[in-house]
Short mmCIF file of all heavy atoms in Angstrom, two decimals:
data_model
loop_
_atom_site.label_atom_id
_atom_site.label_comp_id
_atom_site.label_asym_id
_atom_site.label_seq_id
_atom_site.Cartn_x
_atom_site.Cartn_y
_atom_site.Cartn_z
N TYR G 741 96.55 133.09 6.80
CA TYR G 741 96.06 132.94 8.18
C TYR G 741 95.49 134.28 8.59
O TYR G 741 96.12 135.32 8.41
CB TYR G 741 97.21 132.51 9.09
CG TYR G 741 96.82 132.15 10.50
CD1 TYR G 741 95.87 131.16 10.74
CD2 TYR G 741 97.39 132.79 11.59
CE1 TYR G 741 95.52 130.81 12.02
CE2 TYR G 741 97.04 132.44 12.88
CZ TYR G 741 96.10 131.45 13.09
OH TYR G 741 95.75 131.10 14.36
N LEU G 743 93.03 136.59 11.49
CA LEU G 743 92.63 136.66 12.89
C LEU G 743 91.76 137.88 13.10
O LEU G 743 91.85 138.87 12.37
CB LEU G 743 93.86 136.76 13.80
CG LEU G 743 94.98 135.74 13.64
CD1 LEU G 743 96.02 136.20 12.62
CD2 LEU G 743 95.67 135.51 14.97
N TYR G 745 90.76 140.53 16.34
CA TYR G 745 91.06 140.97 17.69
C TYR G 745 90.02 142.00 18.10
O TYR G 745 89.50 142.75 17.28
CB TYR G 745 92.45 141.62 17.75
CG TYR G 745 93.60 140.65 17.74
CD1 TYR G 745 94.07 140.11 16.56
CD2 TYR G 745 94.23 140.28 18.93
CE1 TYR G 745 95.14 139.22 16.55
CE2 TYR G 745 95.31 139.40 18.93
CZ TYR G 745 95.75 138.88 17.73
OH TYR G 745 96.80 138.00 17.74
N LYS G 747 89.40 145.24 20.87
CA LYS G 747 90.15 146.16 21.73
C LYS G 747 89.21 147.12 22.45
O LYS G 747 88.44 147.84 21.82
CB LYS G 747 91.18 146.95 20.91
CG LYS G 747 92.08 147.83 21.76
CD LYS G 747 93.09 148.58 20.92
CE LYS G 747 94.06 149.37 21.79
NZ LYS G 747 93.39 150.35 22.65
N GLY G 752 95.08 146.45 25.73
CA GLY G 752 95.63 145.91 24.51
C GLY G 752 94.59 145.06 23.79
O GLY G 752 93.61 144.63 24.38
N PRO G 753 94.78 144.83 22.49
CA PRO G 753 93.85 143.97 21.74
C PRO G 753 93.81 142.56 22.32
O PRO G 753 94.83 142.06 22.81
CB PRO G 753 94.43 143.97 20.33
CG PRO G 753 95.28 145.19 20.25
CD PRO G 753 95.83 145.38 21.62
N PHE G 755 92.79 138.56 21.45
CA PHE G 755 92.52 137.63 20.37
C PHE G 755 91.11 137.06 20.50
O PHE G 755 90.67 136.66 21.59
CB PHE G 755 93.55 136.49 20.40
CG PHE G 755 93.20 135.35 19.49
CD1 PHE G 755 93.33 135.48 18.12
CD2 PHE G 755 92.74 134.15 20.01
CE1 PHE G 755 93.00 134.43 17.29
CE2 PHE G 755 92.41 133.10 19.18
CZ PHE G 755 92.54 133.23 17.82
N SER G 758 90.32 132.89 14.85
CA SER G 758 91.19 132.87 13.68
C SER G 758 90.67 131.87 12.66
O SER G 758 89.80 131.05 12.96
CB SER G 758 92.62 132.51 14.08
OG SER G 758 92.68 131.20 14.62
N PHE G 798 89.67 144.61 15.17
CA PHE G 798 90.72 144.63 14.16
C PHE G 798 90.79 143.27 13.48
O PHE G 798 90.80 142.23 14.15
CB PHE G 798 92.09 144.91 14.79
CG PHE G 798 92.27 146.29 15.34
CD1 PHE G 798 92.09 146.54 16.69
CD2 PHE G 798 92.62 147.34 14.52
CE1 PHE G 798 92.26 147.81 17.21
CE2 PHE G 798 92.80 148.62 15.01
CZ PHE G 798 92.61 148.85 16.36
N ALA G 805 105.80 134.77 6.23
CA ALA G 805 106.68 135.48 7.16
C ALA G 805 106.14 135.44 8.58
O ALA G 805 106.84 135.77 9.53
CB ALA G 805 106.87 136.92 6.72
N ARG G 806 104.86 135.04 8.70
CA ARG G 806 104.21 134.88 10.00
C ARG G 806 104.23 136.18 10.80
O ARG G 806 104.35 136.15 12.02
CB ARG G 806 104.84 133.73 10.80
CG ARG G 806 104.49 132.38 10.22
CD ARG G 806 103.00 132.20 10.17
NE ARG G 806 102.58 130.97 9.51
CZ ARG G 806 101.60 130.90 8.64
NH1 ARG G 806 100.95 131.98 8.28
NH2 ARG G 806 101.26 129.75 8.12
N GLN G 807 104.12 137.28 10.11
CA GLN G 807 104.05 138.58 10.76
C GLN G 807 102.66 139.14 10.48
O GLN G 807 102.19 139.07 9.35
CB GLN G 807 105.11 139.47 10.16
CG GLN G 807 105.00 140.93 10.47
CD GLN G 807 105.94 141.70 9.58
OE1 GLN G 807 107.11 141.39 9.51
NE2 GLN G 807 105.41 142.68 8.88
N LEU G 808 101.99 139.63 11.50
CA LEU G 808 100.61 140.09 11.34
C LEU G 808 100.56 141.48 10.72
O LEU G 808 101.30 142.38 11.12
CB LEU G 808 99.90 140.11 12.68
CG LEU G 808 99.64 138.76 13.35
CD1 LEU G 808 98.87 138.96 14.65
CD2 LEU G 808 98.89 137.82 12.43
N PHE G 810 97.71 144.38 10.28
CA PHE G 810 96.41 144.72 10.83
C PHE G 810 95.66 145.70 9.94
O PHE G 810 96.25 146.54 9.26
CB PHE G 810 96.58 145.36 12.22
CG PHE G 810 96.88 144.37 13.31
CD1 PHE G 810 98.17 143.94 13.54
CD2 PHE G 810 95.85 143.88 14.12
CE1 PHE G 810 98.44 143.03 14.56
CE2 PHE G 810 96.12 142.97 15.13
CZ PHE G 810 97.42 142.55 15.35
N GLY G 811 94.33 145.60 10.00
CA GLY G 811 93.48 146.62 9.42
C GLY G 811 93.38 147.80 10.38
O GLY G 811 93.94 147.77 11.49
N SER G 812 92.67 148.82 9.96
CA SER G 812 92.58 150.05 10.76
C SER G 812 91.51 150.00 11.84
O SER G 812 91.42 150.91 12.65
CB SER G 812 92.33 151.25 9.84
OG SER G 812 91.18 151.00 9.06
N TYR Q 210 106.64 141.17 19.82
CA TYR Q 210 106.34 142.08 18.72
C TYR Q 210 106.03 143.46 19.30
O TYR Q 210 105.40 143.57 20.36
CB TYR Q 210 105.11 141.61 17.94
CG TYR Q 210 105.17 140.16 17.50
CD1 TYR Q 210 104.85 139.14 18.39
CD2 TYR Q 210 105.53 139.82 16.20
CE1 TYR Q 210 104.90 137.81 18.00
CE2 TYR Q 210 105.56 138.49 15.80
CZ TYR Q 210 105.25 137.50 16.71
OH TYR Q 210 105.29 136.17 16.31
N TYR Q 212 104.20 147.22 18.26
CA TYR Q 212 103.33 147.91 17.33
C TYR Q 212 103.14 149.35 17.81
O TYR Q 212 103.18 149.63 19.01
CB TYR Q 212 101.95 147.27 17.26
CG TYR Q 212 101.94 145.87 16.68
CD1 TYR Q 212 102.14 144.76 17.50
CD2 TYR Q 212 101.71 145.66 15.32
CE1 TYR Q 212 102.13 143.48 16.98
CE2 TYR Q 212 101.70 144.38 14.79
CZ TYR Q 212 101.91 143.29 15.62
OH TYR Q 212 101.89 142.02 15.11
N GLN Q 214 100.29 152.41 17.61
CA GLN Q 214 98.94 152.80 17.23
C GLN Q 214 98.80 154.30 17.44
O GLN Q 214 98.60 154.76 18.57
CB GLN Q 214 97.87 152.05 18.01
CG GLN Q 214 96.47 152.35 17.48
CD GLN Q 214 95.37 151.72 18.29
OE1 GLN Q 214 95.56 151.28 19.42
NE2 GLN Q 214 94.19 151.66 17.71
N GLY Q 219 95.29 152.28 12.65
CA GLY Q 219 95.40 150.90 13.09
C GLY Q 219 96.75 150.62 13.70
O GLY Q 219 97.56 151.52 13.92
N LEU Q 220 97.00 149.36 13.95
CA LEU Q 220 98.28 148.95 14.53
C LEU Q 220 99.32 148.84 13.42
O LEU Q 220 99.15 148.09 12.47
CB LEU Q 220 98.14 147.60 15.23
CG LEU Q 220 97.51 147.58 16.60
CD1 LEU Q 220 96.04 147.86 16.55
CD2 LEU Q 220 97.75 146.24 17.27
N PHE Q 222 103.03 147.70 12.46
CA PHE Q 222 104.07 146.81 12.93
C PHE Q 222 105.41 147.54 12.99
O PHE Q 222 105.82 148.21 12.04
CB PHE Q 222 104.18 145.60 11.99
CG PHE Q 222 105.42 144.77 12.20
CD1 PHE Q 222 105.55 143.98 13.33
CD2 PHE Q 222 106.45 144.78 11.28
CE1 PHE Q 222 106.69 143.22 13.53
CE2 PHE Q 222 107.59 144.02 11.46
CZ PHE Q 222 107.70 143.24 12.59
N TRP Q 225 109.95 142.81 15.43
CA TRP Q 225 109.67 141.45 15.89
C TRP Q 225 111.00 140.83 16.35
O TRP Q 225 111.98 140.82 15.63
CB TRP Q 225 109.05 140.63 14.75
CG TRP Q 225 108.98 139.16 14.98
CD1 TRP Q 225 108.94 138.50 16.18
CD2 TRP Q 225 108.94 138.15 13.98
NE1 TRP Q 225 108.88 137.15 15.97
CE2 TRP Q 225 108.88 136.90 14.63
CE3 TRP Q 225 108.95 138.18 12.58
CZ2 TRP Q 225 108.82 135.69 13.94
CZ3 TRP Q 225 108.89 136.99 11.90
CH2 TRP Q 225 108.83 135.76 12.57
N ASN Q 233 112.38 140.87 12.07
CA ASN Q 233 111.81 141.72 11.03
C ASN Q 233 111.51 143.09 11.64
O ASN Q 233 111.37 143.21 12.87
CB ASN Q 233 110.52 141.11 10.48
CG ASN Q 233 110.21 141.59 9.07
OD1 ASN Q 233 110.93 142.42 8.52
ND2 ASN Q 233 109.14 141.09 8.50
N LEU Q 265 100.13 155.15 21.12
CA LEU Q 265 100.09 154.01 22.03
C LEU Q 265 101.03 152.95 21.45
O LEU Q 265 100.91 152.59 20.29
CB LEU Q 265 98.67 153.47 22.14
CG LEU Q 265 98.46 152.25 23.04
CD1 LEU Q 265 98.71 152.62 24.50
CD2 LEU Q 265 97.06 151.68 22.85
N LEU Q 267 102.21 149.17 21.65
CA LEU Q 267 101.74 147.88 22.13
C LEU Q 267 102.79 146.82 21.91
O LEU Q 267 103.45 146.77 20.87
CB LEU Q 267 100.45 147.48 21.41
CG LEU Q 267 99.22 148.32 21.75
CD1 LEU Q 267 98.18 148.23 20.65
CD2 LEU Q 267 98.64 147.89 23.08
N VAL Q 274 106.20 131.00 16.41
CA VAL Q 274 106.25 131.94 15.30
C VAL Q 274 104.98 131.81 14.48
O VAL Q 274 104.60 130.71 14.06
CB VAL Q 274 107.49 131.65 14.41
CG1 VAL Q 274 107.44 132.53 13.17
CG2 VAL Q 274 108.76 131.88 15.20
N GLY Q 275 104.30 132.94 14.30
CA GLY Q 275 103.07 132.94 13.52
C GLY Q 275 101.83 132.56 14.30
O GLY Q 275 100.74 132.56 13.74
N GLU Q 277 98.98 132.89 17.57
CA GLU Q 277 98.20 134.03 18.07
C GLU Q 277 99.08 134.91 18.95
O GLU Q 277 99.86 134.41 19.75
CB GLU Q 277 97.00 133.55 18.90
CG GLU Q 277 95.89 132.95 18.10
CD GLU Q 277 96.07 131.47 17.85
OE1 GLU Q 277 96.81 130.82 18.61
OE2 GLU Q 277 95.49 130.96 16.87
N GLN Q 278 98.91 136.19 18.76
CA GLN Q 278 99.67 137.14 19.55
C GLN Q 278 98.81 137.64 20.70
O GLN Q 278 97.64 137.97 20.50
CB GLN Q 278 100.14 138.30 18.68
CG GLN Q 278 101.12 137.86 17.60
CD GLN Q 278 101.63 139.01 16.77
OE1 GLN Q 278 101.55 140.17 17.15
NE2 GLN Q 278 102.17 138.69 15.60
N PHE Q 280 98.47 140.53 23.58
CA PHE Q 280 98.93 141.89 23.73
C PHE Q 280 98.96 142.35 25.18
O PHE Q 280 98.14 141.92 26.01
CB PHE Q 280 98.03 142.85 22.95
CG PHE Q 280 98.26 142.83 21.47
CD1 PHE Q 280 97.69 141.84 20.69
CD2 PHE Q 280 99.05 143.79 20.87
CE1 PHE Q 280 97.91 141.81 19.32
CE2 PHE Q 280 99.27 143.77 19.50
CZ PHE Q 280 98.70 142.78 18.73
N GLY Q 281 99.88 143.24 25.45
CA GLY Q 281 99.91 143.95 26.71
C GLY Q 281 98.99 145.16 26.64
O GLY Q 281 98.40 145.44 25.60
N PRO Q 282 98.87 145.89 27.75
CA PRO Q 282 97.96 147.04 27.79
C PRO Q 282 98.50 148.28 27.08
O PRO Q 282 97.75 149.21 26.83
CB PRO Q 282 97.81 147.31 29.29
CG PRO Q 282 99.08 146.80 29.88
CD PRO Q 282 99.48 145.62 29.05
#
Side-chain angles (χ1 to χ4, degrees):
Chain G
Y741 187 57
L743 308 89
Y745 283 82
K747 185 179 185 301
F755 169 73
S758 63
F798 292 98
R806 289 303 175 224
Q807 167 192 308
L808 293 182
F810 283 84
S812 55
Chain Q
Y210 309 81
Y212 294 87
Q214 187 184 16
L220 281 71
F222 167 71
W225 168 25
N233 204 357
L265 179 67
L267 291 158
V274 173
E277 287 87 22
Q278 295 182 19
F280 284 81

